[in-house]
Each structure stands twice: as structure tokens, then as C-alpha cells.
């Protein structure tokens, strides 16, 4: 019963958990009961003539699919639909994000992002019946909703979005840029201070997606920066460090925790972050309380900066560098982040000067 199913290339499409546990049992030589049961079942299996089970040290039974398999997120989802345990909200968001990022779904994803980006919050999106209808239509076309789900998303005669609509849209937009572990922090964990922060990231999802598209390696930095913020927030709470939106929570965590974890191999991993992740975490935290508009603008500037650096890299010319110089992807990202921070600081300084002159 419950035999794992594989493609002709050997990829497991159903029964990954059983397959992993089976491999562990083989490695530890604790699979004798399985092998004895397999010997009992051999007479009932259609096996090649002359098949000898004793030739295999750790034999395993698998069902192989006929024909070619479509290695897409939606194909895996449909194949496993009947056998899946109830997924968490973060897992659903991750699945929806992967579906929306498939090549043939780009038009639907673009339409959803464009519609959502007209507003500062998901709540505002949900109050406009035309926007709700357009987003739901594209979600159905993309395959992350069914036609039967429509009545759960749209409320009554006014056509506004329901609470389920707001949750679906918010989580799907997060799902296009974050991995499942980060989504668990943003959606499932209920981390302190992260409600406004999550809203800001939703508002900035279009910019984030743009940034990932021009620099795929940015995705790891982005996910790492959220993990850093989560650890910093929890650590500061546990150790009674007063943190507000004006505090440099990231630096406080890195400095104070560094002393506490010095030589502590068990917890030392909490401080193992690269320079880009630390810079990005600071940028995100110091702007997260502005309903997303500021974060979206800043990340858009970072995306444009990286795109420009990539173009200059292709042509071999860099602004401020001698011809023939090369800049690593990490430096391009760092330069773009710091340029966005400097522009933000300059804007703040100009605002302060104008206020002084006005007074």
C-alpha cells in the first residue's frame, strides 16, 4: 500500500516523505521488515522474467508513470491533490507564488500586481469592486482559484472583497518572492511587530519581484534579511530591549547578541548573515511603518540600480569605474542598496532644512 510514484526519470511525484524515510532506514540497516514484506508480495507483482531480489542490498518498490510528466508546480499540485495533508497558509502562499511565476502565467501575475499597486493597502483594494473582480478573474485564469471559489472571494451585491480575498491576495503576493520558511515567519508565526511589516512587503511585492527578476541571487539575500529581522525582533523582546520604529533594531541585535553568543556554537548561527542581508534588513526595518509606500519606492530604486549595473556589466562600462573593470553581483546589490539609503537620507535632510527655513 502507498507505494511511492516516480517518473521514468526517477523523480518522486507522490510519496516523498515515505521515500525519504525509506532511504534513512536503508542507510541505518533498519529496513529488514520492509524487505521481508516485499519478498512476500513478489509473486503478486509483474516483474521481468528472471528477476532476483537477492541481487539488491536494499530493494525498494516504486510505481513508474507511463509517458512524459509535466514538471510544473501546477502539475505536481494536481497530481498530489487527493493525497495532500491540509497545508498551512504559508505553504498555500508558496504554492500560489510558484504557479504565478510559471512562464505562461506572466500576464495574469502582471495584471494582479498592477491592480494591487494602485492602492496603499490590501484593504483599499478590497473596497473597489472593479479591482476585486479583475484580480479574482486573473487568479482563476492562473489556476490559484477555481470558479467555485469566486463566491468566497466576492461579497454580496456590492462586489467588494471578502476577508478570504484579502488573505488570498496578500499571501499570493508574498508567495512570488519569498521561500516557504520566510512565509512561515510572515504568515504563520504571528511575530511581534510583523503585521505592519508584512503589509509593507505586500505593497512592495511588485518591486521585489522586479528585483529578483534582474538579479535572481537577490532572493536569497531577501529571505535571509527577513530571517534576521525575525530573530532580532524575538531576541530584543526576550531580553527587554525597548525597540520602536526609530530604533536600529538590527544593529542592537547584532552587537548585543554577539557578546552573548561569543563561542556559543549552538546559537552562533543566528549571527551568520552576509553584508547584503544586514544592510537590507536595516533598510526594511527603518521604513516598515510607512504603510509600504516608502519601502516600495526604496526597493524600486534598488531594482533600478541593479538593472542599470547589470546593463553596464554587459557593456563593460561602469559609471565611476575604469573601462574593463568588473563588479560582482554582490557589489552591484550593495551599491544599489547604499545608493537608495543615501538618497533617502538626503531627502530627509532637505525636508529638515525646508522646515527650518519655513519657521
Amino acid at each position: 500500500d502507498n507505494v511511492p510514484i516516480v517518473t521514468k526519470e526517477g523523480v518522486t511525484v507522490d510519496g516523498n516523505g515515505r521515500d525519504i524515510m525509506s532511504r534513512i532506514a536503508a542507510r541505518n540497516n533498519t529496513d529488514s521488515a520492509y524487505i521481508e514484506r516485499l519478498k512476500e508480495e513478489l509473486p503478486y507483482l509483474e516483474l521481468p522474467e528472471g528477476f532476483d531480489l537477492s541481487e539488491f542490498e536494499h530493494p525498494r518498490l516504486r510505481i513508474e508513470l507511463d509517458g512524459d510528466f509535466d514538471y510544473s508546480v501546477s502539475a505536481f499540485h494536481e497530481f498530489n491533490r487527493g493525497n495532500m495533508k491540509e497545508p498551512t497558509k504559508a505553504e498555500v502562499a508558496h504554492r500560489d507564488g510558484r504557479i504565478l511565476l510559471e512562464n505562461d502565467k506572466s500576464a495574469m501575475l502582471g495584471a494582479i500586481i498592477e491592480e494591487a499597486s494602485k492602492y496603499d493597502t490590501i484593504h483599499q483594494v478590497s473596497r473597489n469592486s472593479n479591482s476585486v473582480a479583475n484580480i479574482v478573474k486573473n487568479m482563476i485564469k492562473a489556476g490559484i482559484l477555481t470558479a467555485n471559489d469566486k463566491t468566497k472571494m466576492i461579497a454580496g451585491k456590492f462586489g467588494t472583497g471578502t476577508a478570504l480575498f484579502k488573505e488570498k491576495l496578500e499571501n499570493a503576493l508574498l508567495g512570488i518572492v519569498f521561500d516557504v520558511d520566510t512565509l512561515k515567519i510572515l504568515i504563520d508565526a504571528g511575530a511581534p511587530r510583523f503585521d505592519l511589516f508584512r503589509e509593507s512587503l505586500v505593497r512592495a511585492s511588485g518591486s521585489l519581484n522586479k528585483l529578483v527578476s534582474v538579479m535572481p541571487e537577490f532572493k536569497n539575500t531577501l529571505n535571509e534579511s527577513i530571517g534576521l529581522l525575525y530573530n532580532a525582533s524575538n531576541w530584543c523582546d526576550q531580553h527587554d530591549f525597548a525597540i520602536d520604529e526609530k530604533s536600529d533594531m538590527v544593529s542592537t541585535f547584532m552587537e548585543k547578541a554577539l557578546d552573548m553568543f561569543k563561542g556559543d556554537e549552538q546559537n552562533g548561527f543566528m549571527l551568520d548573515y552576509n553584508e547584503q542581508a544586514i544592510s537590507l534588513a536595516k533598510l526594511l526595518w527603518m521604513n516598515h511603518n510607512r504603510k509600504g509606500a516608502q519601502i516600495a519606492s526604496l526597493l524600486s530604486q534598488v531594482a533600478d540600480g541593479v538593472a542599470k549595473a547589470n546593463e553596464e556589466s554587459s557593456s563593460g562600462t561602469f559609471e565611476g569605474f575604469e573601462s574593463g573593470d568588473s563588479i560582482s553581483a554582490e557589489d552591484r546589490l550593495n551599491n544599489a542598496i547604499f545608493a537608495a539609503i543615501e538618497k533617502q537620507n538626503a531627502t530627509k535632510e532637505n525636508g529638515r532644512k525646508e522646515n527650518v527655513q519655513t519657521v
Side-chain angles (χ1 to χ4, degrees):
D1 296 335
N2 298 319
V3 176
I5 300 174
V6 300
T7 66
K8 61 184 181 182
E9 291 84 13
V11 176
T12 303
V13 296
D14 180 42
N16 276 297
R18 296 188 296 277
D19 191 32
I20 292 170
M21 294 304 295
S22 176
R23 291 172 187 269
I24 293 173
R27 189 183 308 130
N28 295 334
N29 289 310
T30 57
D31 57 346
S32 57
Y34 173 88
I35 295 173
E36 289 304 314
R37 173 69 186 277
L38 189 56
K39 290 178 180 177
E40 295 174 5
E41 297 292 332
L42 279 183
Y44 308 101
L45 301 176
E46 295 182 8
L47 298 171
E49 187 175 348
F51 177 83
D52 185 0
L53 191 67
S54 63
E55 294 179 1
F56 302 89
E57 186 176 0
H58 296 282
R60 292 294 182 268
L61 181 63
R62 298 290 182 266
I63 296 175
E64 183 178 305
L65 293 173
D66 292 329
D68 296 328
F69 184 78
D70 175 20
Y71 290 98
S72 66
V73 174
S74 52
F76 273 98
H77 172 60
E78 289 300 321
F79 188 87
N80 289 288
R81 185 188 294 271
N83 299 312
M84 288 173 63
K85 65 179 182 181
E86 189 66 27
T88 66
K89 291 179 180 180
E91 289 168 340
V92 172
H94 187 253
R95 182 202 70 200
D96 288 349
R98 302 287 71 73
I99 292 173
L100 288 170
L101 289 171
E102 291 175 5
N103 291 335
D104 60 341
K105 309 295 194 318
S106 59
M108 296 79 149
L109 174 59
I112 292 169
I113 290 176
E114 182 180 0
E115 201 66 58
S117 65
K118 296 176 182 177
Y119 308 88
D120 285 337
T121 67
I122 296 298
H123 178 73
Q124 291 174 359
V125 178
S126 72
R127 305 312 297 166
N128 188 296
S129 58
N130 290 331
S131 293
V132 171
N134 190 28
I135 289 171
V136 170
K137 177 186 71 176
N138 279 285
M139 284 183 170
I140 292 172
K141 286 174 66 177
I144 65 173
L145 284 178
T146 67
N148 292 334
D149 293 325
K150 187 174 181 179
T151 55
K152 302 175 187 176
M153 300 291 127
I154 301 177
K157 62 181 180 180
F158 297 108
T160 54
T162 64
L164 281 176
F165 166 81
K166 289 187 282 188
E167 180 181 283
K168 185 73 172 180
L169 176 57
E170 181 176 285
N171 291 353
L173 290 174
L174 292 173
I176 64 175
V177 287
F178 294 105
D179 64 28
V180 70
D181 289 331
T182 305
L183 289 169
K184 288 176 181 177
I185 291 173
L186 294 171
I187 298 172
D188 291 342
R193 308 185 186 89
F194 269 64
D195 286 343
L196 270 177
F197 186 51
R198 182 174 60 248
E199 185 177 295
S200 297
L201 292 173
V202 171
R203 177 71 175 82
S205 58
S207 298
L208 290 170
N209 187 50
K210 176 182 178 183
L211 192 44
V212 169
S213 68
V214 298
M215 179 176 275
E217 55 267 48
F218 171 72
K219 190 168 187 177
N220 291 333
T221 296
L222 176 62
N223 281 282
E224 190 172 334
S225 71
I226 303 302
L228 168 54
L229 286 167
Y230 180 64
N231 285 335
S233 180
N234 283 340
W235 189 87
C236 288
D237 277 346
Q238 292 166 8
H239 295 84
D240 297 323
F241 284 99
I243 297 295
D244 58 30
E245 64 273 8
K246 296 180 181 178
S247 303
D248 188 350
M249 180 180 72
V250 177
S251 293
T252 299
F253 169 65
M254 297 297 288
E255 292 167 7
K256 302 294 184 182
L258 182 62
D259 291 335
M260 183 173 290
F261 294 149
K262 194 171 291 182
D264 183 348
E265 294 183 2
Q266 183 175 353
N267 292 302
F269 75 93
M270 292 178 66
L271 300 174
D272 186 20
Y273 300 101
N274 66 45
E275 183 181 353
Q276 292 79 26
I278 295 170
S279 299
L280 184 60
K282 291 180 179 180
L283 178 65
L284 293 175
W285 176 254
M286 298 304 284
N287 292 278
H288 84 281
N289 63 317
R290 306 188 182 194
K291 294 190 175 179
Q294 187 71 11
I295 277 188
S297 173
L298 286 166
L299 288 172
S300 181
Q301 291 171 34
V302 174
D304 290 341
V306 170
K308 181 181 178 182
N310 286 349
E311 291 174 5
E312 291 172 342
S313 176
S314 299
S315 64
T317 59
F318 295 91
E319 187 175 323
F321 289 82
E322 295 294 330
S323 178
D325 285 350
S326 63
I327 302 179
S328 67
E330 291 78 9
D331 285 340
R332 289 176 224 163
L333 177 57
N334 244 357
N335 292 342
I337 292 173
F338 287 133
I341 293 173
E342 287 175 5
K343 185 172 182 179
Q344 178 191 25
N345 290 338
T347 301
K348 288 180 180 178
E349 185 62 30
N350 291 334
R352 280 193 289 269
K353 289 179 180 179
E354 289 177 6
N355 288 337
V356 171
Q357 291 172 358
T358 302
V359 173

